[in-house]
Amino acid sequence: MTSKPNIHIEKLTTHIQGLDHIAVGGIPKGRTTLVSGTAGSGKTVFAAQFLAAGVLNAEQNGVFVTFEENPEEIRRNMIGLNLDIQTMEAAGHWAFVDASPQPGERVIETGHYDLGALLARIEYAIRKVNAQRIALDSLGAIFSRFSDPSLVRSELFRIVSALKKMGITAVMTAERTEEYGDIARFGVEEFVADNVIILRNVLEAEKRRRTIEILKFRGTSHQKGEYPYTIIPSQGIVVIPLSAIELKQKSSDVRITSGNPDLDHMCGGGFFRDSIILVSGATGTGKTLMSTEFMAAGTSPNERCLLFAFEESREQLVRNATGWGVDFNQMETEGRLKVVALYPEVAGLEDHLIMMKDMIDSYRPTRVAVDSLSALERVSTIRGFREFVIGLTSYIKHKEIGGLFTATTPTLLGGTSITEAHISTITDSIILLRYVETYGKMRRGITVLKMRGSRHDKDIREFTIDGKGLHIGKPFRSISGILSGNIMPVTSGEIERMRGLFSE
C-alpha cells in the first residue's frame, strides 16, 4: 500500500498590509486568484497594489492587463495612493497590456473568434519584464463586449491555463451585483475557482463598511470570516486582522498616578502602568477633567502623553485645562504632550484606528487618553465599533501603555451606553461618575466599579469640581439606587439594620 505524497502549496507574500496574516502567508503561488466585489469595493486598487507591492518589496516585476480603464487613467488614479507606476514602467518593472475599448470603437462579431492575439500580447509582456505577477482587471468588461459568454469563458480559461504553465501568480478582478449574492457575474468563478477573495462595501444604517473575505484557497489554509479594511491615500488597501490579536501582553505591578491623590487612594495606590481604564458618566460629570488630570500626571522626564479628542478642539481643551490649573501649552512645548483633535466624521472608523496606531508608534507615549469613545459611535455600525474598540485597546495593552477612555451614558441619572457594553469586559478598571439628585440639588458621585488585580474602595463617594480640579469627599450613606438612577432615601434605622446583617 502506497501513501499519498505530501504536496505543499507554496504561498506568495502579497505585501498588502494585513492581508498576508488572514491569508496565512499570502496567496497560492503560481495560481490564479479571483478578486470579486461590487462597485466601489477597491478591486482595481487591489490589483494595482498587488503588482506594485511585488515590485517595491520583493523585486517581482508585474504585468497589468486592463479591459476597462486605459493605462493613463490607471497611472493617474494610483498616484493618489503613492504608487508611481510610470517610474516603475521606465525602470522595466511594470508593463501594461491595454485591452480597454478605444473611443469610437465598435465590436463587430463575424464567425468564430478567440482571444489568441490577447494571449500573445500577454506572453510578450511577461517575457519583456520577466514578470512573476500579473493582474487582469476587470473581466466583466470583456464579457459585456461579446454576445457569447460561454465562448469568452472558454477563451479566458485558456489564458488562465497558459499563465499557470508559465508559473505566474495571477489576480483577476470581477464584478458582483450583490454584496451577499453570487460570487461573480457571468459565472467567472467556474474557471478560476481555486482561490476566491471577496471585497464588500456594505451600506448599513447610512454608513459604509468595507470588509474582505477569503472564500477559499484550494489545498491550503486561510483565516475564515470577514475582516474590515480601508483604503488609505498614502498606503492603499490596509486590512485590519482582528485574528492577529493575541493575549500575550505582559503585566506590570508598577503603579502610575491618576493625577488625583484621592482617586489613587480609592484605586489601591493608583492605576497599573499597562492597564486600560474606562471612565463612564453623563455629560458634565467630569470625564474630560479626569482625562486632563491623567495627562497632567505624566510629569517624570521619561513620560510622554498623547490625547485623542473627538468632541472638543485643541484650543478648547487648552482653555479648559488652564481653568483647572493645567498648562497644556507648556507641556507641549516641553515635548511631554501631544493633542490630536478631530471630528469623528472626517474619516471612517478603520481610518481612525490606523491613524491612532501610527501616532502611537511615532510619538511613543507612556500614557494615552481618548475623549470620548462615544463620539466615535456616530460614524460606524455596532459591529464596526466593537472591532475598533478591541483593536485599539489590545494595541495599547500590547505596547504596555496606560490608557484612559471616556464614555458618555445616555441618561443623566444612571444607565449604560453601547460603549460600555463593548469595552467593559476588556478594561482593567472601570470608574463610574454619576449625578445624584437630593432635595432639589444636583450632586456628583464617583465609584470604582472594577479594578483587576488590586483591592479598591467600594464606596460611592461625593466629589466636587472647582478651579483646582476634582475633589473626592465622603461616601453617600443616606441614599441608595445611585448607579441605577432610582435614588431613594435610606433611614438611619435601615442603615443600622443592614450593618447588623453583615456584622460578625
Side-chain angles (χ1 to χ4, degrees), residues 320-350:
N320 295 343
T322 302
W324 295 316
V326 178
D327 192 343
F328 271 2
N329 283 327
Q330 181 65 28
M331 291 181 66
E332 286 187 309
T333 301
E334 295 173 353
R336 295 190 295 112
L337 173 68
K338 188 176 185 66
V339 178
V340 180
L342 293 170
Y343 271 118
E345 285 78 8
V346 301
L349 212 52
E350 293 82 9

Side-chain angles (χ1 to χ4, degrees), residues 10-66:
E10 187 179 354
K11 294 284 189 75
L12 177 77
T13 304
T14 66
H15 296 284
I16 295 176
Q17 187 174 334
L19 176 61
D20 293 320
H21 178 84
I22 66 172
V24 191
I27 63 176
K29 187 176 181 179
R31 295 188 175 188
T32 300
T33 298
L34 175 68
V35 178
S36 183
T38 54
S41 58
K43 300 183 296 297
T44 302
V45 174
F46 187 104
Q49 192 172 342
F50 168 71
L51 293 190
V55 172
L56 299 174
N57 299 297
E59 297 183 352
Q60 295 172 346
N61 297 342
V63 171
F64 195 108
V65 183
T66 174

Side-chain angles (χ1 to χ4, degrees), residues 260-281:
N260 187 295
D262 297 330
L263 182 57
D264 287 345
H265 179 75
M266 291 184 69
C267 294
F271 304 138
F272 287 118
R273 184 179 62 189
D274 54 359
S275 61
I276 300 293
I277 304 102
L278 173 66
V279 179
S280 173

Side-chain angles (χ1 to χ4, degrees), residues 97 115-127 158-159 162:
V97 174
L115 299 180
L118 175 62
L119 177 57
R121 293 172 62 194
I122 293 173
E123 290 176 338
Y124 173 76
I126 290 172
R127 290 193 298 269
R158 178 180 163 195
I159 293 175

Side-chain angles (χ1 to χ4, degrees), residues 288-307:
T288 300
L289 171 56
M290 289 196 68
S291 64
T292 300
E293 291 186 337
F294 182 67
M295 294 287 97
T299 56
S300 68
N302 296 326
E303 287 202 85
R304 293 156 67 90
C305 305
L306 179 59
L307 173 59

Side-chain angles (χ1 to χ4, degrees), residues 378-389:
R378 303 196 302 261
V379 297
S380 177
T381 62
I382 293 176
R383 180 178 176 182
F385 182 74
R386 183 188 302 118
E387 292 170 346
F388 167 83
V389 169

